Amino acid sequence: MTPEQKATTRVYFDLDYISEQHTAIFTADYNCIDHDLFTQTVTKLAAESSHEELFSKLDVDTFHGETEPTLETSDFTTEELRNLFIRDMLRMWDEELADNGGHIFTCVGQPWEGPHMLENMRDLVADPDERWFVLYYDFAEDDGQVTLDEMRERSGLFSHRWLNNLLTDDDTWCVRQVCYLPERVAGLSIEHGGDGYTMAIPESEIAKVKVITGAVVEK
């Protein structure tokens, strides 16, 4: 790129790559759900990443003119690439938190694969004594996203068997682990069919913060 093109071109890192890096951080140390520790870890990861590795995941977002500029390895210094990587890693955290009703995805992955869960969640899903607060979100009828307050007030309480039947149902196409912040309450976002998704939080996780105030029905 020419200096003029670089000044008017916005670049970004491949979202799948950024998502994979998020999951890898939480897999290695779930305590990184703390924002300060997450930032420190991202900064360290950036410092350990090579120019070649980072540049290979970079793409053009927006540009001025009729022709998209071609990115060349010489267009960015290693320090610039590392700073862009930190920017996109922290942006994903901030945007997820703002857009998703107060939670971020701590384990992501492609649809029809998975379920995408960290070890701590796999243990809870496998526990026959664990019960789950469950709330369905309908894209057409509900506003916003499922917040932790809504989970406290509107969800029903479901059994281990019910949850596992949902996770293994043929129409369940994406299961990803989430964490509500700042409470640090872990749960699952379960996409089933095409009209919405189900948010499920283990009873033991909800117990960390506050007693559910809504009507609870055992299923």
Side-chain angles (χ1 to χ4, degrees), residues 6-115:
K6 184 174 180 179
T8 57
T9 298
R10 182 178 178 84
V11 296
Y12 74 106
F13 279 95
D14 178 78
L15 293 179
D16 285 341
Y17 175 68
I18 294 297
S19 296
E20 289 168 2
Q21 298 305 308
H22 269 243
T23 298
I25 287 174
F26 297 127
T27 300
D29 184 1
Y30 189 68
N31 288 323
C32 285
I33 201 67
D34 174 83
H35 190 273
D36 289 342
L37 184 55
F38 179 81
T39 302
Q40 294 171 21
T41 304
V42 168
T43 302
K44 182 175 182 292
L45 180 60
E48 296 171 348
S49 299
S50 68
H51 187 286
E52 180 182 10
E53 176 188 358
L54 293 175
F55 181 79
S56 69
K57 302 299 182 180
L58 200 65
D59 203 352
V60 173
D61 186 3
T62 58
F63 60 93
H64 287 274
E66 297 181 358
T67 304
E68 180 177 324
T70 300
L71 300 181
E72 304 288 348
T73 56
S74 58
D75 291 333
F76 301 92
T77 66
T78 302
E79 182 178 4
E80 286 177 318
L81 290 174
R82 287 171 175 170
N83 287 335
L84 288 170
F85 174 75
I86 294 171
R87 178 203 68 182
D88 284 4
M89 288 288 284
L90 297 182
R91 176 186 293 161
M92 176 170 280
W93 175 299
D94 293 335
E95 290 181 351
E96 284 185 357
L97 200 59
D99 295 342
N100 296 336
H103 72 257
I104 64 170
F105 289 98
T106 51
C107 194
V108 297
Q110 295 297 327
W112 302 112
E113 298 176 359

